[in-house]
Amino acid sequence: MKIRSSGRFQSQPVPGIVALSSNFLTAATLLIVPALALAGQSPVPVKADSTAQSQPAAQKSEIKVDKRTPAYWRVTFDNPPFNIFGPETIPQLEKVIAEIETDPGLRVVVFDSDVQGFFLTHYNFTPPLEESTSLPSGRTGLHPLPDMLVRLSKAPVVSIALIRGRATGVGSELALASDMRFASREKAILSQWEVGAGFVPGGGPMARLPRLMGRGRALEVLLGSDDVNGDLAERYGYVNRSFPDDKLDPFVDALAARISGFDRQAIADTKRLVDFASLPSDPEIGAGWDAFITSVQRPVAQKNIGRLMSMGLQANFDIESRLGHYTHSLADK
Protein backbone atom coordinates (compact mmCIF):
# COMPACT_ATOMS: atom_id res chain seq x y z
CA MET A 1 0.00 0.00 0.00
CA LYS A 2 1.18 3.56 -0.63
CA ILE A 3 -0.19 6.99 0.16
CA ARG A 4 -0.91 9.31 -2.73
CA SER A 5 -1.19 13.06 -2.49
CA SER A 6 -4.96 12.87 -2.99
CA GLY A 7 -5.32 11.17 0.41
CA ARG A 8 -6.55 7.90 -1.12
CA PHE A 9 -4.72 4.60 -0.88
CA GLN A 10 -3.49 2.47 -3.72
CA SER A 11 -3.57 -1.23 -2.92
CA GLN A 12 -0.60 -3.45 -3.63
CA PRO A 13 -0.78 -7.26 -3.76
CA VAL A 14 -0.47 -7.81 0.00
CA PRO A 15 -2.68 -10.73 1.13
CA GLY A 16 -5.51 -9.75 3.45
CA ILE A 17 -5.08 -5.98 3.28
CA VAL A 18 -8.12 -4.09 2.08
CA ALA A 19 -8.00 -1.22 -0.39
CA LEU A 20 -9.02 1.91 1.48
CA SER A 21 -11.10 4.89 0.46
CA SER A 22 -11.64 8.32 2.00
CA ASN A 23 -15.40 8.06 1.39
CA PHE A 24 -17.46 8.21 4.59
CA LEU A 25 -19.64 5.36 5.83
CA THR A 26 -22.78 6.06 7.81
CA ALA A 27 -23.20 5.04 11.44
CA ALA A 28 -26.00 2.70 10.43
CA THR A 29 -23.54 0.54 8.50
CA LEU A 30 -20.87 0.40 11.22
CA LEU A 31 -20.70 -2.16 13.97
CA ILE A 32 -17.34 -2.96 15.42
CA VAL A 33 -14.21 -1.99 13.59
CA PRO A 34 -12.47 1.37 13.33
CA ALA A 35 -10.94 0.47 10.01
CA LEU A 36 -14.21 -0.86 8.65
CA ALA A 37 -15.15 2.80 8.41
CA LEU A 38 -12.39 2.96 5.82
CA ALA A 39 -13.41 -0.07 3.84
CA GLY A 40 -15.25 1.68 1.06
CA GLN A 41 -13.73 -0.55 -1.62
CA SER A 42 -13.66 -4.31 -2.08
CA PRO A 43 -10.99 -6.37 -0.33
CA VAL A 44 -7.88 -7.32 -2.21
CA PRO A 45 -8.32 -10.92 -3.45
CA VAL A 46 -6.83 -13.43 -1.02
CA LYS A 47 -4.95 -16.46 -2.30
CA ALA A 48 -5.68 -19.90 -0.90
CA ASP A 49 -2.40 -19.95 1.00
CA SER A 50 -2.91 -16.56 2.63
CA THR A 51 -2.64 -16.03 6.38
CA ALA A 52 -5.09 -17.58 8.82
CA GLN A 53 -6.32 -14.09 9.75
CA SER A 54 -8.42 -14.04 6.57
CA GLN A 55 -9.65 -17.64 6.56
CA PRO A 56 -13.31 -18.42 7.22
CA ALA A 57 -14.16 -19.06 10.85
CA ALA A 58 -15.15 -22.66 10.09
CA GLN A 59 -11.56 -23.43 9.08
CA LYS A 60 -9.87 -22.11 12.20
CA SER A 61 -10.61 -22.09 15.88
CA GLU A 62 -9.04 -19.05 17.56
CA ILE A 63 -10.00 -19.96 21.13
CA LYS A 64 -9.20 -23.14 23.04
CA VAL A 65 -10.94 -24.20 26.25
CA ASP A 66 -9.09 -26.50 28.64
CA LYS A 67 -11.46 -27.76 31.33
CA ARG A 68 -8.76 -28.63 33.84
CA THR A 69 -11.38 -29.54 36.40
CA PRO A 70 -15.15 -29.06 36.39
CA ALA A 71 -14.58 -25.92 38.50
CA TYR A 72 -11.47 -24.45 36.78
CA TRP A 73 -11.12 -23.69 33.06
CA ARG A 74 -8.38 -22.11 30.96
CA VAL A 75 -9.53 -20.13 27.92
CA THR A 76 -6.58 -19.63 25.57
CA PHE A 77 -6.36 -17.27 22.60
CA ASP A 78 -4.53 -18.93 19.73
CA ASN A 79 -4.67 -16.87 16.53
CA PRO A 80 -1.08 -16.37 15.36
CA PRO A 81 0.85 -14.36 14.49
CA PHE A 82 -0.68 -11.46 16.51
CA ASN A 83 -3.87 -12.73 18.21
CA ILE A 84 -5.91 -10.18 16.31
CA PHE A 85 -9.61 -10.22 17.20
CA GLY A 86 -12.04 -10.16 14.28
CA PRO A 87 -15.70 -10.74 13.39
CA GLU A 88 -14.98 -14.46 13.08
CA THR A 89 -13.83 -14.43 16.72
CA ILE A 90 -17.07 -12.98 18.06
CA PRO A 91 -19.25 -16.12 17.73
CA GLN A 92 -16.39 -18.19 19.13
CA LEU A 93 -16.07 -15.96 22.19
CA GLU A 94 -19.86 -15.73 22.50
CA LYS A 95 -20.02 -19.51 22.81
CA VAL A 96 -17.37 -19.45 25.54
CA ILE A 97 -19.04 -16.61 27.47
CA ALA A 98 -22.40 -18.40 27.32
CA GLU A 99 -20.80 -21.55 28.74
CA ILE A 100 -19.13 -19.54 31.49
CA GLU A 101 -22.47 -17.99 32.43
CA THR A 102 -24.41 -21.25 32.51
CA ASP A 103 -22.13 -24.12 33.55
CA PRO A 104 -23.32 -25.15 37.03
CA GLY A 105 -19.96 -26.45 38.21
CA LEU A 106 -17.63 -23.71 37.02
CA ARG A 107 -16.10 -21.37 39.58
CA VAL A 108 -12.96 -19.88 37.96
CA VAL A 109 -11.85 -19.15 34.39
CA VAL A 110 -8.37 -17.93 33.40
CA PHE A 111 -7.79 -16.19 30.06
CA ASP A 112 -4.31 -16.59 28.57
CA SER A 113 -2.53 -16.90 25.22
CA ASP A 114 -0.55 -19.46 23.23
CA VAL A 115 0.86 -16.79 20.88
CA GLN A 116 4.29 -15.59 21.93
CA GLY A 117 4.39 -11.83 22.51
CA PHE A 118 0.62 -11.27 22.25
CA PHE A 119 -2.16 -11.77 24.80
CA LEU A 120 -4.95 -10.34 22.60
CA THR A 121 -4.72 -7.31 20.34
CA HIS A 122 -6.94 -5.01 18.31
CA TYR A 123 -9.77 -5.73 15.91
CA ASN A 124 -9.10 -7.23 12.48
CA PHE A 125 -9.28 -4.50 9.86
CA THR A 126 -9.40 -6.69 6.76
CA PRO A 127 -12.67 -8.73 6.53
CA PRO A 128 -15.59 -7.44 4.44
CA LEU A 129 -17.86 -5.03 6.28
CA GLU A 130 -20.88 -7.32 6.22
CA GLU A 131 -19.06 -9.91 8.33
CA SER A 132 -19.48 -7.52 11.26
CA THR A 133 -22.68 -5.67 10.36
CA SER A 134 -24.55 -8.97 9.97
CA LEU A 135 -23.96 -9.87 13.62
CA PRO A 136 -27.00 -9.30 15.88
CA SER A 137 -26.89 -7.35 19.13
CA GLY A 138 -26.16 -9.36 22.24
CA ARG A 139 -28.30 -10.26 25.23
CA THR A 140 -27.79 -6.88 26.90
CA GLY A 141 -28.93 -5.00 23.79
CA LEU A 142 -25.39 -3.77 23.21
CA HIS A 143 -23.37 -4.67 20.14
CA PRO A 144 -21.71 -8.10 20.40
CA LEU A 145 -18.27 -7.13 21.67
CA PRO A 146 -19.25 -4.80 24.53
CA ASP A 147 -22.16 -7.14 25.26
CA MET A 148 -19.80 -10.04 25.94
CA LEU A 149 -17.50 -7.91 28.08
CA VAL A 150 -20.43 -6.73 30.22
CA ARG A 151 -21.67 -10.29 30.64
CA LEU A 152 -18.22 -11.57 31.59
CA SER A 153 -18.00 -8.99 34.37
CA LYS A 154 -21.41 -9.98 35.73
CA ALA A 155 -21.07 -13.76 35.38
CA PRO A 156 -21.29 -15.74 38.66
CA VAL A 157 -17.78 -17.03 37.96
CA VAL A 158 -14.39 -15.53 38.82
CA SER A 159 -12.50 -14.40 35.69
CA ILE A 160 -8.74 -13.84 35.68
CA ALA A 161 -6.60 -12.41 32.86
CA LEU A 162 -3.05 -13.81 32.75
CA ILE A 163 -1.26 -11.22 30.62
CA ARG A 164 1.96 -12.12 28.87
CA GLY A 165 2.63 -10.08 25.74
CA ARG A 166 0.52 -7.27 24.31
CA ALA A 167 -3.02 -6.59 25.54
CA THR A 168 -3.95 -3.83 23.11
CA GLY A 169 -7.42 -2.44 22.38
CA VAL A 170 -9.76 -5.43 22.63
CA GLY A 171 -7.15 -7.30 24.69
CA SER A 172 -6.95 -4.49 27.24
CA GLU A 173 -10.75 -4.23 27.31
CA LEU A 174 -11.20 -7.96 27.92
CA ALA A 175 -8.62 -7.80 30.72
CA LEU A 176 -10.46 -4.83 32.26
CA ALA A 177 -13.76 -6.72 32.05
CA SER A 178 -12.20 -9.64 33.92
CA ASP A 179 -12.38 -9.70 37.71
CA MET A 180 -8.61 -9.82 38.21
CA ARG A 181 -5.56 -9.16 36.08
CA PHE A 182 -2.02 -10.45 36.61
CA ALA A 183 0.87 -9.51 34.33
CA SER A 184 4.37 -10.56 33.41
CA ARG A 185 6.78 -7.91 34.66
CA GLU A 186 9.09 -8.35 31.67
CA LYS A 187 6.69 -9.30 28.88
CA ALA A 188 3.28 -7.70 29.47
CA ILE A 189 2.27 -4.56 27.58
CA LEU A 190 -1.18 -3.01 27.99
CA SER A 191 -2.52 -0.12 25.95
CA GLN A 192 -5.57 1.75 24.77
CA TRP A 193 -4.09 3.10 21.56
CA GLU A 194 -7.24 4.44 19.89
CA VAL A 195 -6.98 8.18 20.63
CA GLY A 196 -3.53 8.13 19.05
CA ALA A 197 -5.20 7.05 15.81
CA GLY A 198 -7.97 9.64 16.09
CA PHE A 199 -10.94 7.73 17.50
CA VAL A 200 -12.55 6.79 20.82
CA PRO A 201 -12.15 3.32 22.41
CA GLY A 202 -15.33 1.26 22.16
CA GLY A 203 -15.03 -1.57 24.70
CA GLY A 204 -15.61 0.35 27.90
CA PRO A 205 -12.20 1.52 29.19
CA MET A 206 -13.44 5.07 29.86
CA ALA A 207 -15.96 3.58 32.31
CA ARG A 208 -13.64 0.99 33.86
CA LEU A 209 -10.21 2.61 34.13
CA PRO A 210 -11.18 5.58 36.39
CA ARG A 211 -12.71 3.12 38.85
CA LEU A 212 -9.42 1.18 38.98
CA MET A 213 -6.77 3.90 38.93
CA GLY A 214 -8.47 7.28 39.36
CA ARG A 215 -9.37 9.95 36.85
CA GLY A 216 -5.93 11.43 36.23
CA ARG A 217 -4.15 8.16 35.59
CA ALA A 218 -7.03 6.89 33.46
CA LEU A 219 -6.76 9.98 31.27
CA GLU A 220 -2.99 9.51 31.06
CA VAL A 221 -3.48 5.96 29.76
CA LEU A 222 -6.35 6.81 27.39
CA LEU A 223 -5.11 10.13 26.00
CA GLY A 224 -1.42 9.25 26.04
CA SER A 225 -2.24 6.16 23.95
CA ASP A 226 1.12 4.71 24.91
CA ASP A 227 2.35 1.28 25.96
CA VAL A 228 2.17 0.47 29.68
CA ASN A 229 4.55 -2.20 30.93
CA GLY A 230 3.82 -4.67 33.71
CA ASP A 231 5.50 -2.69 36.50
CA LEU A 232 3.71 0.58 35.69
CA ALA A 233 0.43 -1.28 35.19
CA GLU A 234 0.75 -2.61 38.74
CA ARG A 235 1.61 0.79 40.23
CA TYR A 236 -1.37 2.40 38.47
CA GLY A 237 -3.86 -0.33 39.32
CA TYR A 238 -4.29 -1.39 35.68
CA VAL A 239 -3.49 -4.92 36.92
CA ASN A 240 -3.67 -6.47 40.39
CA ARG A 241 0.01 -7.42 40.43
CA SER A 242 2.94 -7.99 38.11
CA PHE A 243 5.34 -10.88 38.60
CA PRO A 244 8.71 -11.96 37.22
CA ASP A 245 7.74 -13.93 34.15
CA ASP A 246 8.68 -17.32 35.57
CA LYS A 247 6.52 -16.68 38.66
CA LEU A 248 3.37 -15.56 36.80
CA ASP A 249 1.89 -18.93 35.78
CA PRO A 250 2.48 -20.67 39.12
CA PHE A 251 0.83 -17.81 41.02
CA VAL A 252 -2.23 -17.57 38.78
CA ASP A 253 -2.66 -21.33 38.65
CA ALA A 254 -2.42 -21.62 42.44
CA LEU A 255 -4.90 -18.77 43.01
CA ALA A 256 -7.37 -20.15 40.46
CA ALA A 257 -7.12 -23.66 41.92
CA ARG A 258 -7.60 -22.29 45.44
CA ILE A 259 -10.74 -20.32 44.56
CA SER A 260 -12.12 -23.21 42.51
CA GLY A 261 -12.33 -25.28 45.69
CA PHE A 262 -14.60 -22.82 47.50
CA ASP A 263 -18.39 -22.84 47.59
CA ARG A 264 -19.85 -21.68 44.28
CA GLN A 265 -22.80 -19.83 45.80
CA ALA A 266 -20.57 -17.96 48.24
CA ILE A 267 -18.31 -16.93 45.34
CA ALA A 268 -21.25 -15.78 43.20
CA ASP A 269 -22.95 -13.85 46.01
CA THR A 270 -19.74 -12.11 47.08
CA LYS A 271 -18.89 -11.14 43.51
CA ARG A 272 -22.44 -9.83 42.93
CA LEU A 273 -22.19 -7.54 45.96
CA VAL A 274 -18.76 -6.25 44.88
CA ASP A 275 -20.25 -5.62 41.42
CA PHE A 276 -22.84 -3.28 42.94
CA ALA A 277 -20.06 -1.07 44.26
CA SER A 278 -17.65 -1.22 41.36
CA LEU A 279 -19.05 -2.03 37.91
CA PRO A 280 -20.10 0.64 35.41
CA SER A 281 -23.69 0.51 34.24
CA ASP A 282 -24.63 -0.85 30.83
CA PRO A 283 -25.60 2.70 29.64
CA GLU A 284 -22.06 3.89 30.48
CA ILE A 285 -20.60 1.15 28.31
CA GLY A 286 -23.18 1.89 25.60
CA ALA A 287 -22.30 5.60 25.60
CA GLY A 288 -18.67 4.73 24.94
CA TRP A 289 -19.71 2.51 22.08
CA ASP A 290 -21.83 5.28 20.55
CA ALA A 291 -18.90 7.69 20.80
CA PHE A 292 -16.68 5.13 19.10
CA ILE A 293 -19.12 4.68 16.22
CA THR A 294 -19.27 8.44 15.69
CA SER A 295 -15.52 8.97 15.97
CA VAL A 296 -14.44 6.33 13.47
CA GLN A 297 -16.28 8.18 10.71
CA ARG A 298 -14.20 11.32 11.13
CA PRO A 299 -11.67 12.00 8.36
CA VAL A 300 -8.75 12.05 10.82
CA ALA A 301 -9.53 8.52 12.01
CA GLN A 302 -9.92 7.25 8.47
CA LYS A 303 -6.64 8.83 7.45
CA ASN A 304 -4.68 7.58 10.48
CA ILE A 305 -5.87 3.97 10.28
CA GLY A 306 -5.02 4.05 6.59
CA ARG A 307 -1.54 5.31 7.38
CA LEU A 308 -1.00 2.54 9.93
CA MET A 309 -2.21 -0.07 7.46
CA SER A 310 0.18 1.29 4.84
CA MET A 311 3.04 1.01 7.35
CA GLY A 312 2.24 -2.68 7.85
CA LEU A 313 -0.35 -2.95 10.62
CA GLN A 314 -1.45 -6.62 10.89
CA ALA A 315 1.44 -7.70 8.66
CA ASN A 316 4.62 -6.35 10.26
CA PHE A 317 5.81 -7.69 13.62
CA ASP A 318 7.57 -4.46 14.56
CA ILE A 319 4.40 -2.39 13.97
CA GLU A 320 2.29 -4.72 16.11
CA SER A 321 4.86 -5.07 18.89
CA ARG A 322 5.58 -1.31 19.08
CA LEU A 323 2.16 0.13 18.32
CA GLY A 324 2.59 2.96 20.83
CA HIS A 325 5.64 4.18 18.91
CA TYR A 326 3.86 4.09 15.57
CA THR A 327 0.71 5.80 16.76
CA HIS A 328 2.92 8.60 18.08
CA SER A 329 4.32 8.97 14.57
CA LEU A 330 0.80 9.96 13.42
CA ALA A 331 0.68 12.98 15.73
CA ASP A 332 0.80 16.51 14.34
CA LYS A 333 4.31 17.86 14.70
Side-chain angles (χ1 to χ4, degrees):
M1 239 174 230
K2 63 181 180 180
I3 300 176
R4 301 198 303 190
S5 59
S6 65
R8 293 179 178 268
F9 295 83
Q10 178 75 30
S11 64
Q12 300 295 329
V14 180
I17 302 297
V18 295
L20 304 173
S21 168
S22 62
N23 296 332
F24 293 172
L25 298 173
T26 65
T29 63
L30 291 173
L31 181 60
I32 304 288
V33 196
L36 289 178
L38 305 170
Q41 300 179 18
S42 300
V44 172
V46 180
K47 297 180 180 179
D49 62 350
S50 185
T51 64
Q53 300 282 355
S54 300
Q55 293 177 4
Q59 296 182 15
K60 185 176 189 300
S61 174
E62 299 178 9
I63 303 174
K64 300 184 295 188
V65 179
D66 176 13
K67 299 182 180 181
R68 296 193 171 186
T69 73
Y72 171 22
W73 297 358
R74 283 281 184 126
V75 175
T76 301
F77 298 106
D78 184 24
N79 185 28
F82 306 124
N83 263 351
I84 291 173
F85 187 103
E88 74 285 353
T89 321
I90 285 179
Q92 297 183 42
L93 185 58
E94 163 61 35
K95 181 179 179 182
V96 173
I97 297 296
E99 285 192 78
I100 289 170
E101 291 175 308
T102 59
D103 189 284
L106 182 61
R107 294 172 175 84
V108 182
V109 59
V110 173
F111 292 94
D112 62 9
S113 168
D114 263 355
V115 177
Q116 186 174 358
F118 298 90
F119 171 71
L120 185 66
T121 55
H122 54 77
Y123 208 91
N124 189 353
F125 298 162
T126 63
L129 180 61
E130 59 269 19
E131 290 189 20
S132 288
T133 57
S134 62
L135 296 170
S137 296
R139 299 179 187 180
T140 63
L142 300 173
H143 288 294
L145 179 55
D147 168 80
M148 291 186 292
L149 299 180
V150 164
R151 288 162 52 205
L152 175 64
S153 295
K154 295 179 180 179
V157 170
V158 176
S159 52
I160 300 173
L162 187 162
I163 305 169
R164 174 180 286 110
R166 293 196 66 91
T168 300
V170 177
S172 169
E173 291 159 359
L174 182 135
L176 291 170
S178 299
D179 299 320
M180 307 177 205
R181 293 152 296 283
F182 299 99
S184 166
R185 189 167 294 163
E186 301 93 342
K187 298 181 179 180
I189 296 291
L190 296 93
S191 79
Q192 296 290 163
W193 65 292
E194 294 88 346
V195 169
F199 56 93
V200 176
M206 292 82 70
R208 297 185 190 275
L209 279 172
R211 288 168 164 84
L212 291 173
M213 62 177 69
R215 181 175 183 271
R217 285 176 170 175
L219 288 170
E220 179 185 344
V221 169
L222 291 162
L223 302 184
S225 299
D226 205 354
D227 295 341
V228 178
N229 64 30
D231 270 343
L232 183 59
E234 180 186 56
R235 291 201 299 274
Y236 272 25
Y238 208 152
V239 300
N240 291 55
R241 297 195 232 175
S242 64
F243 290 90
D245 190 67
D246 62 346
K247 306 294 185 184
L248 176 62
D249 288 270
F251 173 84
V252 171
D253 189 59
L255 177 64
R258 176 182 172 86
I259 295 172
S260 73
F262 297 153
D263 178 71
R264 189 177 193 274
Q265 192 62 51
I267 292 170
D269 288 345
T270 301
K271 179 178 169 181
R272 176 172 51 83
L273 293 168
V274 171
D275 288 350
F276 288 155
S278 60
L279 285 187
S281 65
D282 292 2
E284 286 180 82
I285 301 294
W289 188 258
D290 291 342
F292 162 66
I293 290 296
T294 299
S295 68
V296 294
Q297 297 174 87
R298 297 172 58 234
V300 65
Q302 296 185 17
K303 181 181 75 171
N304 284 341
I305 292 293
R307 288 171 64 188
L308 286 170
M309 293 292 283
S310 72
M311 292 176 192
L313 189 70
Q314 299 192 185
N316 184 302
F317 181 86
D318 188 60
I319 300 286
E320 290 291 345
S321 61
R322 295 199 302 141
L323 192 52
H325 167 78
Y326 286 96
T327 52
H328 179 66
S329 74
L330 304 175
D332 294 334
K333 299 295 193 293

